[in-house]
């Protein structure tokens, strides 16, 4: 029982260790402003990673989310800029942009899911393909440059990223809500149970009368929707999208899911673990920026070591069980 | 200014060449020019792609006997393949190449040269000298030096600044070294981290700078994409009045703000993506006229100030 | 003389002692059968002998000397080879590559031809027509078992430990297996043979050790113990009326199927089933029995005219079958029946989650259902939250039966109800099946064990080549008649 606890709590222990390390290295680390920064910038990857947890738990994978985010941001900006002259600069226009991002996410997720379930192509291949497609589309839409939101709309939209209740900004609130709903869905909803069953053994799920294809499709749609939501909060930050938006977000999201204790082969999903994983990744970056520990050339190496360590810590128990 | 003149000179020469060689050009055989550049992965390269396409469209119309083959590559290996394909299947007569990286492209470009083709190298030199017929480049050392000199002259001694670096490359190193040299020792550089010429990364790095340092007098963002992320982070921390920001490369939004006299963005340093246009134009000139086109053309980096900003402003370019 | 022996071996997992002072000696040239109910400690003994577990107290003796194996491969090097029930074959490699895995022929460059020929030779000795170049994943379960046996033969074992090797083999293959066992015995190999099939134990074993609750309760030489005696020793009480009495089906038809066709597998099968009836389906492996069942409940693309209680129904997917009151219990418990890494509750309710709340799952209702299932089907699990895969086969099967019965189906198709299950549990499951029929439900039982089909069924359909070869009932239900129909020897009984 003790070992089990250590195993599941591993990511939390790592997170606490990082927080202590950060506080020791620089007192500014625990300042509310820094905490807000770290949490808010975790929010995009965080929401995407919550969706990714469902996809991975069902035995799937989605490599396209970073490109999808860039594409959706581009489309939303174009849509808002296009209607701004007609509708004027007010919240209606912004809401329309948000709607475009969310519906676009839904559609893009559905596309991935349909290719996986209906065309029966490996998720890795499908999403590798759509990753390239979305990335090219946004570069094409931006004409190789950057799509920027009109300055009036920017000013209006800006508080959606920077505003909030006190120093708890909207991205933090949204991320928290998404995480709580996600954790609840994985543990207590029929959908979550079916997702775990499919990832655990697809054949058993099918022989239990579960509509395997529909559930899998829904995981991709859910992920697409959450990418859309992340975009809704991303656009007001810099008010722009380009070919370099969201690069490698997919790998960060997948890494967060795995650090959090969800098995890459599927079957067991842990949404709270994913949240911890996202925070660990953000904190590493933050601490390295705050504390001149190593040459900036080595930041990637430090991250890599911590990711591998986090996973090794969790594996210890299962290898011990083998004997 | 230098670049403008250069372009004018090229255009003039081209026009002259066309007039002079009009009869000659009629029955001249078709010439194919290959253009190989990195793909538009960030703002500067996006601008460069736009200028390349724009120039090719313009020249293609002006000279019917010139044909252009444009290939963009996401990495050095793909660029090598592109160039080999151009040689094998399109039978190019001239090549304009902006090498993704110097080392891996040197041998393939040398092979093109040895096959008797005209070679123009843009911006990043090959690792072996004397291969290219024509070299057109921006000046990375000047880019860093001009910025460094501005910081030195406009900040009182003892000021503190932070620096955002690009993707770790020799190009980035050249700029930063020149910057540090020009800056001297009166101004203290608090920190230098990589923002990878990316808005989001620069935003994150700047947020952390702001948490870490209670007093920052100025920021060298070294790239306009990064400058935009940096300014957003500063605005979010409500420290806009505390510091100013210098970007680089002359992105149109930034140039516009300098034109409008934005206090936070006093000046900018050019590193024009239009240098690809000059390179393509001069290469074309080689095939449509008898003008001798060889040598090295270094397009210096200049300071864009509110006074001269108008002439650096291209509203149609994506960059 | 003794090659491998256990001397006063006990084994504990944490505070629980599962083996109590076991003595066991394997002699060269002797087949030693180890029998016992599931949970009696057979697998633990096999794991200790095979070097996968260490005894807590007591000794493992090799050639009379105390010996400790730190791993399976080390035991294998000493000539002790285990054939596991769960196959240890790499599915993406060829048969030959698997047989020679870890001891490949040739130097740096593999000698493919030598390995192919060696494998063909071994398979030839087993009268198996398997092509050494086939990939394991393309083989049927019985064929994989033959490869596993061939692999063990190639190891030149001094001690061979076989765990239920015949459970998935067809009649003919079992014959070839026995022949090999005889040959190995003649060569002086010591064989430990674990099996639930007491007829086979009586036929093969020179010596029998009976285990119960981690103790050796009986050791006997060939001929000293008949099947009934073995069963009594295993269970610890007399086993009378192994099969429950036959029932009294009503005349009302519960299910009528006309022209059931599963492309390439089943060709126009008609069948009918009365209320309260147990219909047996027999036939060789590969005769289309499972395909028939899976086609009927919508797990395979199939066409048929189906009436339930006289009403036509359309079954396109498993959900439709559930809605029509049909349920199917798969033969492949581990790969299609249960989520082995999940706990009991999740498995029990997986097919019927919509009965436990709407979008949100009512966990307390699930727990209540599990309480009922545990009581109704006598599921013995040390902990509710343990992984289902850690239950014994018998308890897994009972849980699967409980899962299948949760939606309260009227027509239940059970494919191999007792595969790999101990005698005591078998008897319990037979009683459950009869009880369900007596409640007025209708059952189809598909089984490769002829005594089981005969003992359980009111009527038997025998399949051959995707068609019904014949129907037998009453006193005609004999092994001889089933074999004749299944092999297509004669139609006199049809």
């Amino acid at each position: 029982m003790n070992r089990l606890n250590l195993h599941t709590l591993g990511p939390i222990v790592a997170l606490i260790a990082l927080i202590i390390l950060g506080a020791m290295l620089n007192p500014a680390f625990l300042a509310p402003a820094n905490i807000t920064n770290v949490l808010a910038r975790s929010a995009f990857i965080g929401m995407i990673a919550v969706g990714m947890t469902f996809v991975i738990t069902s035995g799937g994978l989605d490599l396209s989310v970073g490109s999808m985010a860039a594409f959706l941001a581009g489309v939303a900006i174009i849509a808002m800029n296009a209607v701004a002259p007609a509708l004027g600069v007010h919240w209606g226009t912004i809401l329309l942009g948000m709607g475009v991002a969310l519906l676009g996410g839904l559609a893009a997720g559905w596309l991935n899911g349909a290719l996986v379930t209906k065309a029966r192509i490996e998720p890795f291949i499908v999403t590798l393909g759509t990753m390239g497609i979305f990335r090219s589309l946004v570069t094409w839409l931006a004409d190789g440059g950057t799509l920027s939101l009109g300055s009036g709309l920017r000013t209006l939209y800006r508080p959606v990223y920077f505003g909030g209740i006190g120093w708890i900004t909207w991205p933090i609130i949204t991320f928290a809500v998404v995480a709580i709903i996600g954790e609840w869905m994985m543990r207590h909803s029929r959908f979550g149970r079916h997702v775990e069953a499919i990832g655990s053994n697809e054949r058993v799920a099918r022989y239990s009368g579960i509509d395997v294809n529909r559930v899998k499709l829904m995981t991709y749609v859910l992920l697409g929707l959450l990418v859309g939501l992340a975009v809704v909060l991303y656009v007001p930050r810099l008010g722009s999208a380009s070919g370099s938006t969201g690069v490698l977000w997919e790998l960060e999201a997948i890494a967060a899911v795995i650090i959090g204790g969800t098995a890459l082969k599927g079957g067991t999903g842990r949404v709270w673990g994913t949240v911890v994983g996202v925070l660990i990744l953000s904190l590493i970056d933050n601490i390295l920026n705050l504390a001149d520990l190593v040459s900036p050339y080595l930041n990637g190496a430090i991250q890599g070591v911590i990711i591998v360590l986090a996973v090794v810590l969790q594996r210890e128990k299962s290898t011990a069980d083998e004997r | 200014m230098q670049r403008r003149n250069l372009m004018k000179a090229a255009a003039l020469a081209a026009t002259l060449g066309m007039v002079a060689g009009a009869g000659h050009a009629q029955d001249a055989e078709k010439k194919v020019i290959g253009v190989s550049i990195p793909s538009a992965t960030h703002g500067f390269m996006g601008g460069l792609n736009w200028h390349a396409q724009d120039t090719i469209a313009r020249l293609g119309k002006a000279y019917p006997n010139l044909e252009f083959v444009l290939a963009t590559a996401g990495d050095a290996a793909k660029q090598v393949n592109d160039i080999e394909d151009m040689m094998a299947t399109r039978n190019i007569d001239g090549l304009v190449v902006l090498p993704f990286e110097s080392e891996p492209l040197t041998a393939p470009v040398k092979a093109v040269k040895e096959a008797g083709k005209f070679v123009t190298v843009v911006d990043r030199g090959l690792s072996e000298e004397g291969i290219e017929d024509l070299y057109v480049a921006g000046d990375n050392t000047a880019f860093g030096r001009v910025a460094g000199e501005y910081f030195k002259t406009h900040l009182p001694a003892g000021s503190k600044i932070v620096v955002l670096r690009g993707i770790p490359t020799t190009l980035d190193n050249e700029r930063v070294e020149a910057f540090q040299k020009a800056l001297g020792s009166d101004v203290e550089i608090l920190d230098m981290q990589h923002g990878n010429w990316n808005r989001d990364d620069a935003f994150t790095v700047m947020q952390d700078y702001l948490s870490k340092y209670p007093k920052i007098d100025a920021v060298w963002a070294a790239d306009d994409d990064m400058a935009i992320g940096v300014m957003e982070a500063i605005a979010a921390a409500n420290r806009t009045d505390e510091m100013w920001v210098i970007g680089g490369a002359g992105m149109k939004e930034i140039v516009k703000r300098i034109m409008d006299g934005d206090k936070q963005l006093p000046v900018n340093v050019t590193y024009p993506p239009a240098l690809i246009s000059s390179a393509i134009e001069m290469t074309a000139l080689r095939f449509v006229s008898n003008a001798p086109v060889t040598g090295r053309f270094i397009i210096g980096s200049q300071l864009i100030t509110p006074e001269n900003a108008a002439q650096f402003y291209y509203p149609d370019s994506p960059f | 003389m003794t090659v491998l022996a256990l001397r006063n071996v006990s084994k504990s997992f944490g505070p629980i002692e599962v083996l109590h002072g076991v003595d066991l000696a394997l002699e060269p040239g002797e087949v030693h059968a180890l029998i016992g109910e599931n949970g009696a400690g057979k697998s633990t003994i096999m794991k200790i002998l095979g070097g996968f577990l260490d005894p807590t107290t007591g000794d493992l003796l090799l050639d009379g000397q105390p010996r400790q194996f730190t791993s399976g491969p080390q035991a294998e090097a000493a000539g002790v080879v285990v054939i596991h029930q769960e196959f240890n074959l790499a599915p993406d490699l060829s048969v030959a590559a698997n047989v020679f895995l870890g001891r490949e022929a040739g130097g740096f460059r593999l000698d493919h031809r030598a390995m192919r020929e060696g494998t063909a030779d071994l398979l030839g000795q087993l009268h198996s027509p398997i092509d050494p170049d086939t990939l394991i994943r393309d083989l049927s379960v019985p064929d994989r078992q033959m490869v596993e046996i061939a692999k063990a033969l190639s190891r030149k074992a001094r001690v061979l430990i076989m765990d239920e090797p015949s459970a998935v083999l067809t009649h003919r293959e079992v014959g070839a297996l026995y022949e090999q066992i005889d040959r190995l015995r003649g060569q002086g190999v010591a064989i430990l043979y674990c099996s639930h099939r007491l007829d086979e134990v009586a036929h093969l074993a020179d010596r029998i050790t009976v285990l119960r609750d981690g103790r050796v309760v009986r050791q006997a030489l060939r001929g000293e113990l008949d099947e009934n005696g073995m069963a009594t020793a295993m269970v610890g009480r007399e086993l009378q009326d192994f099969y429950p009495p036959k029932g009294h089906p009503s005349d009302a038809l519960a299910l009528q199927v006309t022209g059931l066709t599963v492309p390439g597998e089943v060709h126009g099968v008609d069948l009918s089933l009365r209320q309260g009836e147990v219909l047996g389906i027999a036939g060789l492996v590969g005769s289309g029995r499972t395909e028939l069942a899976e086609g009927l409940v919508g797990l395979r693309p199939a066409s048929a005219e189906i009436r339930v209680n006289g009403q036509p129904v359309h079954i396109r997917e498993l959900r439709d079958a559930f809605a029509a009151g049909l349920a199917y219990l798969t033969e492949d418990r581990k790969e299609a029946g249960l989520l082995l890494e999940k706990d009991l509750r999740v498995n029990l309710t997986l097919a019927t989650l919509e009965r436990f709340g709407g979008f949100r799952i009512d966990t307390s209702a699930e727990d209540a259902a599990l309480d009922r299932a545990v009581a109704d089907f006598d599921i013995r699990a040390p902990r509710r939250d343990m992984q289902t895969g850690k239950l014994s086969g018998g308890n897994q099967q009972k849980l699967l039966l409980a899962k299948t019965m949760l939606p309260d189906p009227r027509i239940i198709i059970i494919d191999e109800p007792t595969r790999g299950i101990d005698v005591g549990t078998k008897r319990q499951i037979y009683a459950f099946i009869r009880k369900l029929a007596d409640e007025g439900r209708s059952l189809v039982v598909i089984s490769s064990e002829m005594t089981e089909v005969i003992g359980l069924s009111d009527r038997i359909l025998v399949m051959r080549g995707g068609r019904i070869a014949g129907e037998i009932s009453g006193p005609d239900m004999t092994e001889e008649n089933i074999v004749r129909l299944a092999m297509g020897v004669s139609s006199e009984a049809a």
Side-chain angles (χ1 to χ4, degrees), chain A residues 12 80 84 93 104 115 124-125 131 140 143-144 176 185 220 223 237 240 251 277 288 291 309 312:
Chain A
I12 288 202
M80 283 186 275
T93 312
L115 284 169
F124 186 93
I125 300 300
M131 171 170 95
W140 175 71
D143 216 357
M185 268 177 47
Y220 288 97
L223 175 54
R237 184 166 95 174
S240 64
L251 291 188
L288 289 175
L309 265 185
V312 167

Side-chain angles (χ1 to χ4, degrees), chain B:
Chain B
M1 207 61 85
Q2 210 170 330
R3 172 174 133 267
R4 287 250 126 175
N5 289 341
L6 184 76
M7 281 176 69
K8 271 183 203 153
L12 186 70
T15 323
L16 286 174
M18 201 169 139
V19 175
H24 184 70
Q26 285 298 331
D27 46 67
E29 55 187 320
K30 200 127 179 116
K31 293 287 184 187
V32 184
I33 298 176
V35 180
S36 171
I37 52 178
S39 49
T41 48
H42 64 276
F44 174 77
M45 277 303 166
L48 191 118
N49 271 263
W50 183 83
H51 282 289
Q53 286 170 15
D54 187 57
T55 311
I56 286 171
R58 198 156 35 79
L59 292 178
K61 227 176 277 171
Y63 307 108
N65 67 326
L66 278 187
E67 197 184 322
F68 291 91
V69 183
L70 176 68
T72 63
D75 58 68
K78 162 93 166 52
Q79 193 172 24
V80 172
N81 295 344
D82 284 348
I83 292 170
E84 284 168 0
D85 288 350
M86 283 178 187
M87 287 291 285
T89 62
R90 302 301 297 262
N91 197 23
I92 52 170
D93 301 290
L95 173 69
V96 180
V97 57
L98 198 168
F100 209 99
E101 288 167 45
S102 303
E103 287 291 341
L105 266 301
T106 298
V109 173
K110 193 174 178 188
V112 173
K113 178 64 201 165
E114 280 164 1
K117 314 297 182 188
F118 186 85
V119 171
T120 303
V121 172
V122 187
D123 200 29
R124 291 172 209 171
L126 300 171
S127 54
E128 199 179 310
E129 286 190 14
I131 294 173
E132 66 273 1
D133 297 289
L134 181 64
Y135 180 67
V136 181
D139 187 343
N140 287 306
T141 308
F143 182 90
R145 191 189 61 235
V146 169
E149 281 163 357
Y150 184 87
F151 277 82
K152 186 183 168 79
T153 48
H154 288 78
L155 284 171
S159 298
K160 294 175 194 314
I161 65 167
V162 290
V163 172
L164 285 96
R165 309 187 54 163
I167 295 169
T169 49
T170 42
L171 183 155
D172 186 61
N173 290 344
E174 280 175 24
R175 290 178 176 186
V176 171
E177 274 162 27
F179 177 83
Q180 284 174 303
K181 212 169 135 201
L183 189 67
S185 53
D186 289 346
V187 175
E188 185 191 351
I189 297 176
L190 291 168
D191 213 334
M192 291 202 280
Q193 300 275 350
H194 290 274
N196 304 323
W197 292 317
N198 175 300
R199 285 186 192 193
D200 287 308
D201 291 355
F203 177 85
T204 308
V205 169
M206 192 62 207
Q207 272 195 332
D208 290 340
Y209 280 163
L210 290 166
S211 300
K212 193 174 173 183
Y213 304 108
K215 183 172 173 298
I216 301 171
D217 297 303
V219 185
W220 187 45
D223 172 83
D224 286 339
D225 261 325
M226 291 205 286
I228 286 179
V230 163
M231 284 189 295
E232 201 53 66
I234 297 172
N238 287 324
R239 288 168 70 173
T240 309
D241 294 334
E242 182 184 323
M243 66 197 86
W244 41 260
V245 180
I246 306 291
M251 181 194 277
K252 65 178 177 189
E253 286 89 353
I254 301 282
V255 175
K256 182 79 173 50
R257 286 173 72 166
I258 293 171
M259 266 164 81
D260 298 344
D262 192 324
K263 274 215 187 64
Q264 206 190 351
L265 278 168
V267 295
N268 199 291
V269 183
T270 61
Y271 196 84
L275 61 90
I276 189 75
S277 300
S278 314
I280 297 173
E281 278 161 4
M282 289 195 283
T283 308
L285 204 58
R286 158 76 176 69
F287 290 103
V288 295
S289 78
N290 300 321
V293 187
T294 49
R296 294 170 67 82
F297 295 84
I298 305 299
I299 301 166
S301 283
Q302 300 161 268
L303 209 57
I304 305 178
T305 59
E307 292 73 37
N308 70 359
Q311 52 180 306
F312 294 97
Y313 185 53
Y314 299 90
D316 291 339
S317 161
F319 184 64

Side-chain angles (χ1 to χ4, degrees), chain C residues 182-198:
Chain C
D182 283 338
R183 196 175 64 82
L184 293 168
R185 171 163 46 197
Q187 291 171 358
V189 175
I191 297 169
L192 182 75
Y193 196 96
C194 279
S195 177
H196 286 307
R197 290 171 66 171
L198 303 182

